[in-house]
Structure formats: structure tokens, C-alpha cells
Amino acid sequence: MSDSPAPIKIIRKQTGNFLEDFQPGQIFRHKGGKTITEGLFTTFTEFSMSTHPASKNARYARAYGYQGLVCPPGLVMLVAFSQTVEDVSENARANLEYIDMKFGAPVYVGDTIEVETKVIGLRPSASRPNLGIVHVQSTARKNIGDASEAIVVSWQRKVQVYKGKESAEVKAFDLPADDIEFELWIPPYDANAKLAELAHLSSPDSYFEDLEPGSRIEHSRGRTITDEHIAMTAILDNTSQVHCNQYMVDLNPKQYVGGKLIIFGGIPFSLCLGLSCPDVGDNALGDIIYTTGRHTAPLQAGDTVFAATEILNKRDYPSRADLGIVETRLFGYKMVRADGEQTDDAPEGWKRVQIFELDRQIAVKRRSHYA
Amino acid sequence: MSDSPAPIKIIRKQTGNFLEDFQPGQIFRHKGGKTITEGLFTTFTEFSMSTHPASKNARYARAYGYQGLVCPPGLVMLVAFSQTVEDVSENARANLEYIDMKFGAPVYVGDTIEVETKVIGLRPSASRPNLGIVHVQSTARKNIGDASEAIVVSWQRKVQVYKGKESAEVKAFDLPADDIEFELWIPPYDANAKLAELAHLSSPDSYFEDLEPGSRIEHSRGRTITDEHIAMTAILDNTSQVHCNQYMVDLNPKQYVGGKLIIFGGIPFSLCLGLSCPDVGDNALGDIIYTTGRHTAPLQAGDTVFAATEILNKRDYPSRADLGIVETRLFGYKMVRADGEQTDDAPEGWKRVQIFELDRQIAVKRRSHYA
Amino acid sequence: MSDSPAPIKIIRKQTGNFLEDFQPGQIFRHKGGKTITEGLFTTFTEFSMSTHPASKNARYARAYGYQGLVCPPGLVMLVAFSQTVEDVSENARANLEYIDMKFGAPVYVGDTIEVETKVIGLRPSASRPNLGIVHVQSTARKNIGDASEAIVVSWQRKVQVYKGKESAEVKAFDLPADDIEFELWIPPYDANAKLAELAHLSSPDSYFEDLEPGSRIEHSRGRTITDEHIAMTAILDNTSQVHCNQYMVDLNPKQYVGGKLIIFGGIPFSLCLGLSCPDVGDNALGDIIYTTGRHTAPLQAGDTVFAATEILNKRDYPSRADLGIVETRLFGYKMVRADGEQTDDAPEGWKRVQIFELDRQIAVKRRSHYA
């Protein structure tokens, strides 16, 4: 190859959109898409500490009518959500709220997920001229063009996005969310399937009959997140630099607690679901909807995450005598040195800081039918 | 979803059994089970530094008569053993001994492993009223209900378990171990298979003829374990908090050397097998039995692990002229700062600390038949 | 098992060759071989930050005529190169140059790669009696003996190797490189395939028409490498201790900047390719040849890697109207504290250090035919 001529033009690529770039009704067909490999599946399913046998044990999954190991809802969310980051939130300050995250078809190893997002709202900040809130609705489909094509998850989110130029004029708008028709797929009940013979593989005390409205379950396990989060974020194609570029942090360390990278919120989202699994998830046949959810404090490498679930309500599942619906509120928290701000729910010298909250409805098996 | 009512009942889940919970002859059918994905396979096979071509190279594995890449024995042990942790040793102080760990059918990617454990002994501590020793026998099967169903490994172990209440009365018992009928599956020898054409893929000097009783091989490579061990332990579904919950350590740092998490013993177990592989394992067609083994010092992130193998004895393999049995003793060790306790076998300023020991019998190819 | 007799013979295994061991025309058939699992595929494809849809999205890959997800060229290089380390460079001081690295057949999950190396040159150092340069040519094949057998990559490299004994006499030699016949496989163009319907999945501005000779693209993303590199190096079977044995570093810390392990050069090689992907790789259908390349500074855990690409030249692709060839030079760099050596291209207090350089020719789609 010949010598390089002196470059005449330096091109600095910008990625992501700024507040003034979002248009009413605009559709993003996100880049990439993602096929679920066994590497991706294992990394996240096991990181989450999920104990659900349908995500661990192919014999169990097939006996229930699944095609094979089932991706936990946290993994479906991570793969779908991450595809929207470059277009929607690469230039965001914070993700404010998850709204009406509804699940559809089960996701298996080998499925390919692709996502579209519609811009349905924008509101400039009254007090901060360089910021505003963008409201989007995203839909993730699997296996487009194949007989197995189906919606796997849809959701809305509100995200606080920076302007590219502070002087840019932006107009507020507010469109109704689309009514997207799809349903959670749950394996049909077969009284002859002898599923009780597999009952020892899931936890014995998390059936519909066990979950008591008005109770709060403090899940017993905690998990320390290491700088593994950098690789995990890359595996998800989440392109936000605040999760993986330490040099950017070092340039401006005061903006980041302890001069450390921020952990992508989807990671504790998935971990809290997993930590709650032995007590509320092991006998669920699906997560129906997360009506609202938010991150309430940031996480960094070294933090240990715990979770708790409040059982809010429970009711019959329409036309499925074998199941019930349980309304829960999932909390994530971390324990930090108190520095004089001791809280009652923590040992001396420590305080408990809530990091996450999710209103979550699940379809849970009845012991009467399955054990 | 409606607002949450004030919770009226806090539920703190306890997991695992205490000394007083173990009953003579009691059977645990462990939860979960585990399907070997390619993600799990790669994480552990490669972490272990194994060089065995049957675990690296599908062409080689199939030529020998395996269905595909073969899980190394360390991985089979890790997957099976970890399933027993919640029921047997979540409340343990220490794992004291592995006994008669025997291997059976080969384990492939896609196989599902499920484990049962029988309680065969208990002895309260004479000197420490809050402790005792539990003796269990575990059996791991693959693909239950399928034509390929088979036992893959069985073993006994003795583990020191805490009482839940110090005042609880426990009675000693001692049952005979079950005689579990199964054999190590070894690919049949086919003189026409031209396996010598693949001989360059394994090490040239680890055939039966090469291994000399009375010699000790210091394996050349070392491997530093990072805090990767936290994720690895989670991938295995090992639920013991001492491996993954840094907050628990921070609450009580004096109990943990350097205030750091302890590495799950199965990880150095597997790593020592791998480090020894180029010198004693590359031309083995199976690990027959580990008659006894134990961890002799704990490991933490940052430690570098080395291994050595003593060749104790060798003899013919019954009815297989192509193979021989080699009895070995595998040692693991770490190098630590001497702090005035210099040992002869270490450079100045360092001492060598043994961490692991395993009496291991392997079925090794004869060069005369394979190269 | 009987007690071990006192060992009578200590065997310390040596691995790798020294300068005096290399003979003119000598062929190494490297050990192991490697089957690409989904675990390996995901770990490296995603670590690299590649955005190429053929490596992310099986629907896209199949629509283009591939059998499934395609290994990025950086992964093919890593798997092939690593197999040569034990024989060629386990006792090396530095890898000096990559030469004429040419790609052939695409590599898919499930393919098995095996590598041979021929020694084609040797030159003792005039000034340093314990060193010399070895010149080798390596060829990696997939699926030997199968209908899909094919060369996937061949390359030469020059590597600075230590003598085993400084007194050993070595003679210089210089053989011509073999002319190895194979071609880059590129999916045939099918005007009826409606590939434009998938154009939203790759970046919109990296077609042949977009890449301007004389320009230099500063790729927008950086990635901090953690001590994850230790596990990654093990996954690749790269056996060099300088990447994974912290004790060896601690014995002689002055030889290693900051007393830290050195990151295997293949890791930033692969990462720089990935960082450049959204801007120059997303619409390439193949990497044709890397005519020359080298590492220009070492990397260690904690360093953040950036990349830039100079577009040197472009021309038609023979007999493929849908493609063009783009000649590029890929640079990798890291940002380090300036310590008084401020460079113009870095923020105050920092300097930019080049770590890698690769002359790279790629086959790029024309927008006229694909979008």
C-alpha cells in the first residue's frame, strides 16, 4: 500500500440525537438487531441470579411447552432496550421512567430481536434551557419474516435529553401512545403432563397460594457488581460512553461519584428481578406488565445490590384456572456507609439506599394445579 | 396499579439447612438443574486453562467417538456440585473432604444435569457446640427421561455445618454409602480410525509410557484469579453469599482475610486440573475416580494459582490394551509474601502455600496405540 | 490409593521454543485447534464493540448469503493467531510486525480452526546477543476433512525471540514466503434479494461512496479494558504468562509498567477494528488484506482505547460492480496523563499515545446497489 497522504480533512463523528432532533411521530428503526446466542443468554441469565427452572433446565422448559431454555424477562428487556440507546438516549442525562412494559412471545436462544421506536412526546425544561424530556414508545419483534415472527416486548419511556445547541428552539408535543395488539404467551395447561413430577425443581413456597397481599419479602441474597458491568454493557450493544469510557470520567471526575463509571440501569433492573426469583418468580409463567418503574439512585462497581418485593394484590387470571395474577412492587437497594446518616433498616454505620422500583404484574401457577 | 398499602408483614427468607435439619437417609432432590450451554462451557473450560483437544476441537472429539466437544471433568464437577450447595452447605463453615468422586457418561453441550443427595452421616462437634459434620452422597444424572439418560458423576463429601440454634440437640448417625452402579464411558478403540493423524493436536509427552511413578511434575503455568470469580460462581448457581456479597464481608471484615470475598473452592479445583492438563491430561480419555481431596487454604481475588502432579503408580486398564491407569496426586498452591516465613521452594521474600490436594486416577492412552 | 512414595524426580516442564530452536523451513502443526462456540463468539464479538449486522443479526447475515452469524475478522485473527503462540512466541520479547494477513472463507459458530506455521526467516541481533528475529508464515484452515474445508486466514509475522542459552550459535536464513492460493469469499450479489429493505440495520454513512480518500475519521467511542483481559486471553488459549500470571510480574515488577500484566496485543487489535466499525466497517463485506501492522505501545488494565481511520485510497473491485476496495490505515491510541509531555491533540494534562497501526484493505458495498 502506498504511503498515506497527509490527511486533509478530520471527521469527528457524532452519534445519537439531541433534544431538538426529535420530531412528533418520528419512527426510528434501530440499527443492528440482535440474535440471542448461548453466550449472551448465559452471561445475563446467570448474572441476574435468576433461579427459574425454565431458564436453567431445558428438560423442564420443554415439559412446560416451551421450545427450549427461555430468556428471563430481564434479558428480553435488556436486549430490546439497548437497541434504542443510540437513537434515543446516547445524549441523555437520565432515564426518568419506564411505562407499560408489556411482554408477548417467549424469547429463545437463536431468536433475533429488532426494535422500532416512535417519538410521542417532548417537553422542554422550564428551568434548564439545555434540557428537556422525550417520551417514546418502543416495540421489539422477533424473527421478522419468519413463521415465528412476534412482538416480544413493548414499552414507553421518558428520558431527559440534552440539547445539541442551547439556543435551539424546541416545541412541546404530546401524542397518544399507539395501541399495540399482542398478548403474553403462556404455555397452555395440560392436566396430563404430570408437571408435579418436576415440582422439586422450583421453589416450594412461591405459588399463587403463597403470596400474601400486604406482605413484604426481603430477598435473602445480595450480589456485588464488579467492573464486569463494562463488558456486559458492551455485550448488549449499549453505546453510552458513561458506562465504558473511563478516560471520559477522568477528564471530569467531579461529575461522577468517586470518579467511577456509572452502571447501565438495565443491569440492576435485571439483577433485582433475579434476586427476587426464588421467592416470587420461580413459579411464575410470565411477567405480564411493568406499569411503571424508575431508577432512584446510581450504581457503580463495588456496590452490592439487594432486593425486596411487596405483594400488593392478587386476582384470578381470566380463563386460566391454573393461574393467578399477582401485583407486586419490586425494590432494589444498596447498602452504603452511613456517614452520619444512619437509617433504621440498616446495621450501625450503614444506610440503605433505594436504587430501583418497579410495579410488576406476574402470572403465577397455583399449587393446586402444578404441585 | 393502585398504591401499595403499608405492608403489614415483613418476611425474611432463610435458605439452606442447619445441622439439626439433616436426617438419616434423607434425600434432597435439588432445585433448578442445569443445561450446559455453549456460554457455560466456554467460560469454564477456558478459564481452567485445560488444553485437552476433546474439549477444544470438535473434529478431534468426533474422531474419537464423542458426540462433540466434551466437558472437562472439572466442569462436570462444578455444575453437579453447585446444585447441592443450597440444601447441603449454604450454612456451612467449610467443605472438609471430597470422597470417591467417580465419573460416568461424558457430558456434552446441551445436556441437562440434575442432582440428588442422600444424607449418610452426622457427627456433632465435641468441642464446638454450634458445629458438626454432615456426610452426604450425591449423584448427578444427565437427560432424565431421554434415551441418553445416564449418571455422569457421583461423590461423597463431608462438610462442617453450623447449627441454626446452638441449643438444638443432634444425634450422630452413620449409614453405609449406597453402592451406585455405573461405569466410566470411554470411547471404544478402533485400530482403523487413524487417530495417529490427530496426534499433533495433543501434547507429545503425556502418554501412559511417559508418566513415571516417583516423579513430580511442576506444571509450568500459573493463572491469576480476578474478581471474575464472583460472576463464575453465579453462573454455576452456587448460592453461597461468602463468594458474592461484599457487603456481608464489609460488615465483618476480620472474618475474611484482607476484607475480601472467598473464592468458591470448585474454581481452583477446576483450575488445578486444567493447569496440569498439558503434562498429564492431554492424552487421558477419562478421569476415573478422585478417591479423596480437600482444600487446604482459602483463595481470594488477586491470588495466582499453580499446580503440580505426583505420579504415584500405574497399571494396565482391564480389557483395554490401548489404555493404562495412572494414579496421581494433584496439588494446587499459591505464592504469598513470606513475611518472615520464607520456604525453601520459593524465591526470596515469598512462600509457597498449598491450597488443594486431590488423589486422582486417570485412564491414559498408550503411545503405542495412538501416536 | 496407596500413600505416595517420596518423589524421586522433579520435572519442570519448559514450553515454547527459543531462538536457536527454529530451523529453516520447519513446519509447526500447532496443538489444540479451536471450535468456535457461541460463548467464544459472543465474548469477543461484543468486546470488540463491532456493530456489523452480519455479526449481530442472523436474519441479516442469512439474507446476505451467509450461513449464520459471521465471526468478525478480529475474532478470526485472534483464534488463529493464538494457536501459534506456544510454538512461536511463548519465549518472545515482542511481536514486531504483521505482514500480508489475508482472509479467505467466512468463519461461523461451530467451525473448527486449525493452524500450521512455517519458519521462513531468522536473524540474530547484532547488538543483543540473547535475542533475534524469527519470521514465520501461518495458515489457518477450517473444518479439515469436511466438505466445508477452507483456508480462513494466512499471515506472516516477525517476532523478537530470546535465546535459551546466550552462547547458542544461530545462523541467519531467509526463505521466500509460500504463495498460498485462496481468495476472500464474498457473498454473490443478487439484485432480487431486496437487501435495501435491511439497509436501516447498518450505518447510513459508511458506503463506498461515503469514504473519502484524504480524510481521517476519529471514531467517537472509547472502551476501557479491565482485568477481563486475563480471562479473554485464556479463552483464546494464548499461553503467554505475561498476560495472566501476576506472581511473575510481582517477582520482577520493574520490568512491567506499574507492576501490571501486559494485555495481549490481539485484544486491542480486535477492539480497534470494532471501534472503527460504525464508520468504516458496517457496510464492508469483507476484510481483504492487512498488508502491514504493528503494536507501538503496550496496554494494561485500566487503559481506555480509541481508534481513528485514515482513508488512503479507493478503487473498483474487479468484476463486482456492487463493491469497491477501500485502502485504509487504522490507528489505535490511548490517553495517558501528560506528566509534562502535553501533546496538541489531547486535553490539558493529557497526551495521546499511539498503540497500534494497521494497513487495511476492505471490500465495501456501494450505496447504489444496497440502499
Side-chain angles (χ1 to χ4, degrees):
Chain A
M1 188 179 290
S2 57
D3 275 353
S4 154
I8 52 171
K9 183 176 167 188
I10 303 288
I11 301 171
R12 293 184 195 280
K13 293 272 179 159
Q14 275 288 7
T15 46
N17 292 294
F18 291 96
L19 187 65
E20 61 268 34
D21 298 325
F22 292 90
Q23 303 303 323
Q26 181 181 6
I27 306 276
F28 295 109
R29 300 173 74 195
H30 302 296
K31 282 196 280 182
K34 190 92 172 174
T35 300
I36 311 286
T37 66
E38 293 197 358
L40 175 65
F41 177 86
T42 293
T43 300
F44 285 94
T45 300
E46 306 306 26
F47 167 81
S48 79
M49 315 258 313
S50 170
T51 56
H52 199 298
S55 302
K56 298 278 174 182
N57 181 328
R59 175 170 91 100
Y60 182 99
R62 285 192 286 256
Y64 269 80
Y66 296 104
Q67 288 171 29
L69 293 175
V70 180
C71 292
L75 175 53
V76 175
M77 176 273 176
L78 279 168
V79 168
F81 183 95
S82 298
Q83 291 183 39
T84 72
V85 168
E86 180 172 339
D87 289 326
V88 174
S89 51
E90 183 136 343
N91 301 311
R93 181 170 174 275
N95 196 56
L96 300 180
E97 188 183 0
Y98 304 99
I99 304 165
D100 286 350
M101 183 174 283
K102 287 176 56 184
F103 292 89
V107 177
Y108 302 112
V109 169
D111 284 346
T112 298
I113 311 291
E114 298 178 31
V115 187
E116 279 190 15
T117 294
K118 183 176 179 181
V119 180
I120 61 173
L122 187 150
R123 189 157 52 86
S125 167
S127 58
R128 303 183 61 172
N130 66 332
L131 271 175
I133 295 169
V134 175
H135 183 178
V136 295
Q137 181 175 30
S138 297
T139 307
R141 283 176 175 76
K142 77 172 189 180
N143 305 344
I144 293 176
D146 185 85
S148 62
E149 179 175 337
I151 293 178
V152 297
V153 60
S154 78
W155 71 97
Q156 298 168 44
R157 65 171 167 137
K158 291 185 175 174
V159 55
Q160 200 175 28
V161 178
Y162 286 107
K163 283 186 184 172
K165 294 185 183 172
E166 195 170 316
S167 61
E169 291 234 355
V170 297
K171 277 191 191 160
F173 57 84
D174 191 8
L175 306 179
D178 285 341
D179 191 15
I180 299 166
E181 298 266 329
F182 70 105
E183 280 200 351
L184 178 64
W185 185 86
I186 294 182
Y189 179 68
D190 175 0
N192 298 318
K194 300 190 179 173
L195 294 173
E197 291 179 7
L198 299 177
H200 65 285
L201 295 169
S202 63
S203 72
D205 58 357
S206 62
Y207 289 94
F208 185 73
E209 291 88 337
D210 300 310
L211 300 172
E212 267 183 82
S215 65
R216 175 183 169 103
I217 305 169
E218 300 283 342
H219 305 300
S220 65
R221 292 175 184 135
R223 167 70 153 87
T224 303
I225 305 183
T226 70
D227 57 14
E228 67 194 320
H229 76 87
I230 300 175
M232 293 176 71
T233 303
I235 290 180
L236 292 166
D237 302 329
N238 181 320
T239 54
S240 180
Q241 288 283 293
V242 70
H243 308 312
C244 69
N245 182 337
Q246 181 67 41
Y247 166 70
M248 195 181 78
V249 171
D250 290 342
L251 278 182
N252 203 354
K254 283 182 194 159
Q255 215 176 303
Y256 304 86
V257 181
K260 289 166 79 172
L261 295 166
I262 305 296
I263 294 175
F264 166 42
I267 290 176
F269 187 132
S270 176
L271 178 53
C272 290
L273 286 167
L275 290 170
S276 77
C277 193
D279 302 325
V280 304
D282 252 32
N283 289 301
L285 285 186
D287 282 41
I288 303 167
I289 189 170
Y290 305 150
T291 50
T292 180
R294 65 194 56 77
H295 300 284
T296 51
L299 271 185
Q300 297 185 308
D303 288 336
T304 303
V305 174
F306 297 86
T309 296
E310 288 182 12
I311 309 299
L312 303 180
N313 199 0
K314 62 184 195 178
R315 53 193 154 89
D316 292 343
Y317 195 99
S319 73
R320 287 287 296 252
D322 59 311
L323 302 176
I325 295 175
V326 182
E327 298 180 3
T328 71
R329 186 164 293 152
L330 173 63
F331 296 91
Y333 53 94
K334 62 179 176 182
M335 304 301 289
V336 301
R337 304 280 178 186
D339 288 333
E341 293 180 16
Q342 180 79 45
T343 55
D344 284 348
D345 50 6
E348 201 188 323
W350 294 84
K351 67 179 168 183
R352 181 166 160 156
V353 174
Q354 188 192 309
I355 59 162
F356 181 62
E357 188 177 325
L358 187 73
D359 279 12
R360 173 191 190 203
Q361 299 186 20
I362 48 181
V364 183
K365 296 186 291 186
R366 292 179 193 264
R367 179 181 287 106
S368 55
H369 287 65
Y370 287 92
Chain B
M1 188 179 291
S2 57
D3 274 355
S4 153
I8 52 172
K9 183 176 168 187
I10 302 288
I11 301 171
R12 293 184 195 279
K13 293 273 179 159
Q14 274 288 8
T15 48
N17 291 294
F18 291 95
L19 187 64
E20 61 267 35
D21 300 325
F22 293 89
Q23 304 302 323
Q26 180 181 8
I27 306 275
F28 295 109
R29 301 173 73 194
H30 302 296
K31 282 194 281 182
K34 189 91 172 173
T35 300
I36 311 284
T37 66
E38 293 197 357
L40 175 65
F41 177 86
T42 293
T43 299
F44 285 93
T45 301
E46 306 306 26
F47 168 81
S48 78
M49 314 260 312
S50 170
T51 55
H52 199 298
S55 302
K56 297 279 174 180
N57 182 328
R59 175 170 92 99
Y60 183 98
R62 285 190 287 255
Y64 269 79
Y66 296 104
Q67 288 171 30
L69 293 175
V70 180
C71 292
L75 175 53
V76 175
M77 175 272 175
L78 279 169
V79 169
F81 183 95
S82 298
Q83 291 181 39
T84 73
V85 168
E86 180 171 340
D87 289 326
V88 175
S89 51
E90 184 137 342
N91 301 311
R93 181 170 174 274
N95 195 57
L96 300 180
E97 188 184 359
Y98 304 99
I99 303 164
D100 285 350
M101 183 174 284
K102 287 177 55 184
F103 292 88
V107 177
Y108 303 113
V109 169
D111 284 346
T112 298
I113 311 293
E114 297 177 33
V115 186
E116 278 189 17
T117 293
K118 182 176 179 181
V119 180
I120 61 172
L122 187 149
R123 188 158 52 85
S125 169
S127 58
R128 305 182 61 171
N130 65 333
L131 270 175
I133 293 171
V134 176
H135 183 177
V136 294
Q137 181 175 31
S138 298
T139 307
R141 283 176 175 77
K142 76 173 190 179
N143 304 343
I144 293 175
D146 185 84
S148 62
E149 179 173 338
I151 293 178
V152 297
V153 61
S154 78
W155 71 99
Q156 298 168 44
R157 64 172 168 136
K158 290 185 176 174
V159 55
Q160 200 176 27
V161 178
Y162 286 108
K163 283 187 185 170
K165 293 183 184 175
E166 197 169 314
S167 61
E169 290 234 355
V170 294
K171 278 191 192 161
F173 56 86
D174 191 8
L175 308 178
D178 285 340
D179 191 17
I180 300 166
E181 298 266 329
F182 70 105
E183 280 200 350
L184 177 64
W185 185 87
I186 294 183
Y189 179 68
D190 175 0
N192 297 318
K194 300 190 179 173
L195 293 173
E197 291 179 6
L198 300 177
H200 65 285
L201 295 169
S202 62
S203 73
D205 57 357
S206 62
Y207 289 94
F208 185 73
E209 291 88 338
D210 300 310
L211 300 171
E212 268 183 83
S215 65
R216 175 183 168 102
I217 305 169
E218 300 283 344
H219 306 300
S220 66
R221 294 176 183 132
R223 167 71 152 87
T224 303
I225 305 183
T226 71
D227 57 14
E228 67 194 319
H229 76 87
I230 300 175
M232 293 175 72
T233 303
I235 290 179
L236 292 166
D237 302 329
N238 180 318
T239 54
S240 179
Q241 289 283 292
V242 70
H243 308 312
C244 70
N245 182 338
Q246 182 66 42
Y247 165 70
M248 196 180 77
V249 172
D250 291 342
L251 277 182
N252 204 355
K254 281 181 196 161
Q255 215 175 302
Y256 304 86
V257 181
K260 288 165 79 173
L261 296 166
I262 305 296
I263 294 175
F264 167 41
I267 291 176
F269 188 131
S270 176
L271 178 54
C272 290
L273 287 168
L275 290 170
S276 76
C277 193
D279 302 326
V280 304
D282 253 32
N283 289 301
L285 285 186
D287 282 41
I288 303 167
I289 189 170
Y290 306 150
T291 51
T292 179
R294 65 195 56 77
H295 300 284
T296 51
L299 271 184
Q300 297 184 307
D303 287 337
T304 303
V305 174
F306 296 86
T309 296
E310 288 182 12
I311 310 297
L312 303 180
N313 200 1
K314 63 184 194 178
R315 53 190 153 92
D316 292 342
Y317 196 102
S319 74
R320 286 287 298 250
D322 59 312
L323 302 176
I325 295 175
V326 182
E327 297 180 3
T328 72
R329 187 164 293 150
L330 172 63
F331 296 93
Y333 54 93
K334 62 179 177 182
M335 305 301 290
V336 301
R337 304 281 178 185
D339 289 333
E341 294 179 14
Q342 180 79 46
T343 55
D344 283 347
D345 51 5
E348 201 189 324
W350 293 84
K351 67 178 168 183
R352 182 166 157 156
V353 174
Q354 188 192 309
I355 58 163
F356 180 62
E357 188 177 323
L358 186 73
D359 277 12
R360 174 192 189 202
Q361 298 185 19
I362 49 181
V364 183
K365 296 185 292 186
R366 292 180 194 262
R367 178 181 287 107
S368 55
H369 287 65
Y370 287 93
Chain C
M1 187 179 295
S2 58
D3 274 354
S4 155
I8 53 173
K9 183 177 169 188
I10 302 288
I11 301 171
R12 293 185 194 279
K13 293 272 179 160
Q14 274 289 6
T15 47
N17 291 294
F18 292 96
L19 187 64
E20 60 267 35
D21 299 324
F22 292 89
Q23 304 302 323
Q26 181 182 7
I27 305 276
F28 296 109
R29 300 172 75 195
H30 302 296
K31 282 195 281 182
K34 189 92 173 174
T35 300
I36 312 284
T37 66
E38 292 198 358
L40 175 65
F41 177 87
T42 293
T43 300
F44 285 93
T45 301
E46 305 306 26
F47 168 81
S48 79
M49 314 255 320
S50 169
T51 55
H52 199 298
S55 301
K56 297 279 175 180
N57 182 327
R59 175 170 90 99
Y60 182 99
R62 286 192 284 257
Y64 268 80
Y66 295 104
Q67 288 172 29
L69 293 176
V70 180
C71 292
L75 174 53
V76 175
M77 176 273 173
L78 279 168
V79 168
F81 183 95
S82 298
Q83 291 182 38
T84 72
V85 168
E86 180 172 340
D87 289 326
V88 175
S89 51
E90 184 136 341
N91 301 310
R93 180 170 173 274
N95 196 56
L96 300 180
E97 188 184 0
Y98 305 98
I99 303 164
D100 286 349
M101 182 173 285
K102 285 176 57 183
F103 293 88
V107 177
Y108 302 113
V109 169
D111 284 347
T112 298
I113 311 291
E114 297 177 32
V115 187
E116 278 189 17
T117 295
K118 183 176 179 181
V119 180
I120 60 173
L122 186 150
R123 189 157 52 84
S125 169
S127 58
R128 305 183 62 171
N130 65 333
L131 270 176
I133 294 170
V134 175
H135 183 177
V136 295
Q137 181 175 30
S138 298
T139 307
R141 283 176 175 76
K142 76 172 191 181
N143 304 343
I144 293 175
D146 185 86
S148 62
E149 178 174 336
I151 293 178
V152 297
V153 61
S154 79
W155 71 99
Q156 297 167 44
R157 64 172 169 136
K158 291 185 175 172
V159 55
Q160 201 175 28
V161 178
Y162 286 107
K163 283 187 185 171
K165 294 184 183 173
E166 195 169 317
S167 62
E169 289 234 357
V170 296
K171 277 192 192 160
F173 57 85
D174 191 8
L175 307 177
D178 285 341
D179 190 17
I180 299 166
E181 297 265 328
F182 70 105
E183 282 200 351
L184 177 65
W185 186 85
I186 295 182
Y189 179 69
D190 175 359
N192 297 319
K194 299 192 180 172
L195 294 173
E197 292 179 4
L198 299 176
H200 65 285
L201 295 169
S202 64
S203 73
D205 58 358
S206 63
Y207 289 95
F208 185 73
E209 291 89 335
D210 300 311
L211 300 172
E212 267 182 82
S215 65
R216 175 184 168 102
I217 305 170
E218 300 283 342
H219 305 299
S220 65
R221 292 174 184 136
R223 167 71 153 86
T224 302
I225 304 183
T226 71
D227 57 14
E228 68 194 318
H229 76 87
I230 299 175
M232 292 175 71
T233 303
I235 290 179
L236 292 166
D237 302 329
N238 181 319
T239 54
S240 179
Q241 288 283 292
V242 71
H243 308 311
C244 69
N245 183 336
Q246 181 67 40
Y247 165 71
M248 195 180 78
V249 171
D250 291 342
L251 277 182
N252 203 353
K254 282 181 194 160
Q255 215 175 301
Y256 304 86
V257 181
K260 289 165 79 172
L261 295 166
I262 304 296
I263 294 174
F264 166 41
I267 291 176
F269 188 131
S270 176
L271 178 53
C272 290
L273 286 168
L275 291 170
S276 76
C277 194
D279 302 327
V280 305
D282 253 33
N283 289 300
L285 285 186
D287 282 41
I288 303 167
I289 189 169
Y290 306 150
T291 51
T292 181
R294 66 196 54 79
H295 300 284
T296 51
L299 271 185
Q300 297 183 308
D303 287 337
T304 303
V305 174
F306 297 85
T309 296
E310 288 182 12
I311 309 299
L312 303 179
N313 199 0
K314 62 185 195 179
R315 52 189 153 89
D316 292 343
Y317 196 99
S319 73
R320 287 289 296 251
D322 59 311
L323 302 175
I325 295 175
V326 182
E327 298 180 2
T328 72
R329 186 164 294 151
L330 172 64
F331 296 92
Y333 54 92
K334 63 179 176 181
M335 304 300 291
V336 301
R337 304 280 178 185
D339 289 332
E341 292 181 15
Q342 179 78 46
T343 55
D344 284 347
D345 51 5
E348 202 188 324
W350 293 83
K351 68 179 168 182
R352 181 166 159 157
V353 174
Q354 189 192 309
I355 58 162
F356 181 62
E357 189 177 324
L358 187 73
D359 279 11
R360 173 191 190 202
Q361 299 185 20
I362 48 180
V364 183
K365 296 186 293 187
R366 293 180 192 263
R367 178 180 286 109
S368 56
H369 287 64
Y370 287 93

